[in-house]
Amino acid sequence: MSDLPERISLREVGPRDGLQNEEPVATDGKVALIDSLSRTGVGRIEAVSYVHPRAIPQMADADEVWARIERAAGVRYSALAPNLRGVQRALDAGFDEIEVVVSASDTHNRRNVNRSTEESLDDIAQIVELAHARGATVQAIVATAWGCPYEGDVPLERVLRVAGAALAHGADALSYGDTTGMATPTRVSELVGETRMRHPDVPLNLHFHNTRGTGLANVLAALQLGVADFDASVGGLGGCPYAPGASGNVATEELVHMVEDMGVATGVDLPALLDTAAQAERLVGHTLPSQVLRAGPRTRTAD
Ligand code: ZN
């Protein structure tokens, strides 16, 4: 297979995106999960989000989690925030990598943060100014980039316009979120291709949910276009708030297992990650969707 990146960077989002979509778990368990992840070799961990505890009670202990984890050398930790207030809290807690999320779909943005996409975009300029003044970087995550549970397909031009506006407001990096797993490889290629043409130098991360089983196929399509930065969650932790019982993010160990065999380095120790996936499963108290967790690596032999 031609032209795959030699190495990719993974951001583990299980502790945030994953646990946000599970029944609340104890702070101790979250801290232990992040500490285990920190020892797997994964380069980045999205540790918490600063959202209103009434909106997302699963993240009410964000400050405590962040204070108690053992921050490993060589791991970058980030926090997600939906608005200026949340960004302020993340900066006060000492985060220097902030993710701010805005939905390409106006309906989704209103349901999520009670404001229009335009209003959220306007906030980004202020958020960036505040973050930069405190030495932090801002990644703009464009959610519902491949479709919205309320509006259906979101036009490509609209996604590109929202991304362009976030960058024009000073965001340092861009991420596209397939919030409810509506992307397919063709759609990934289209959006990545157009984005690369318009913003060739902007760091681009992709965030896929495996809601409809297309997660790894989407990763492969993006790899073939040279994208080298992906989100994934250990065990496939999480779910979809709009589809009860659906799968969560692409499972980190499935991604690592596939791409490492294709010659793409991740820096992640697969056995350590599988142990952590089992830990995540015990933490939430139910089976997680990861198939590599069930079956083991492809080289595992029968006893
Ligand atoms: Zn997500």
Side-chain angles (χ1 to χ4, degrees), residues 12-26 28-40 232-238 249-253 271-290 293-294:
E12 168 59 49
V13 299
R16 200 285 302 171
D17 202 1
L19 291 182
Q20 172 171 324
N21 287 297
E22 299 278 353
E23 291 296 316
V25 299
D28 284 352
K30 289 184 195 176
V31 171
L33 179 65
I34 295 173
D35 285 346
S36 291
L37 287 166
S38 294
R39 294 190 286 265
T40 61
S233 79
V234 64
L237 199 62
N249 299 79
V250 168
T252 315
E253 61 275 19
L273 186 61
L274 285 167
D275 287 346
T276 308
Q279 178 183 352
E281 207 165 56
R282 290 192 297 274
L283 178 65
V284 297
H286 64 82
T287 303
L288 291 176
S290 164
L293 176 58
R294 291 279 80 72

Side-chain angles (χ1 to χ4, degrees), residues 209-276:
H209 280 248
N210 201 34
T211 322
R212 293 174 176 84
T214 56
L216 283 185
N218 293 334
V219 168
L220 179 57
L223 280 174
Q224 288 173 323
L225 293 173
V227 176
D229 183 351
F230 297 94
D231 284 357
S233 79
V234 64
L237 199 62
C240 177
Y242 310 96
S247 282
N249 299 79
V250 168
T252 315
E253 61 275 19
E254 291 187 351
L255 202 167
V256 168
H257 177 262
M258 182 181 84
V259 304
E260 290 269 355
D261 190 59
M262 300 172 74
V264 177
T266 62
V268 177
D269 178 58
L270 187 58
L273 186 61
L274 285 167
D275 287 346
T276 308

Side-chain angles (χ1 to χ4, degrees), residues 118-137:
E118 291 309 318
E119 287 170 320
S120 285
L121 280 172
D122 286 343
D123 285 351
I124 290 182
Q126 253 185 299
I127 285 169
V128 167
E129 196 182 352
L130 182 71
H132 285 179
R134 300 190 38 185
T137 57

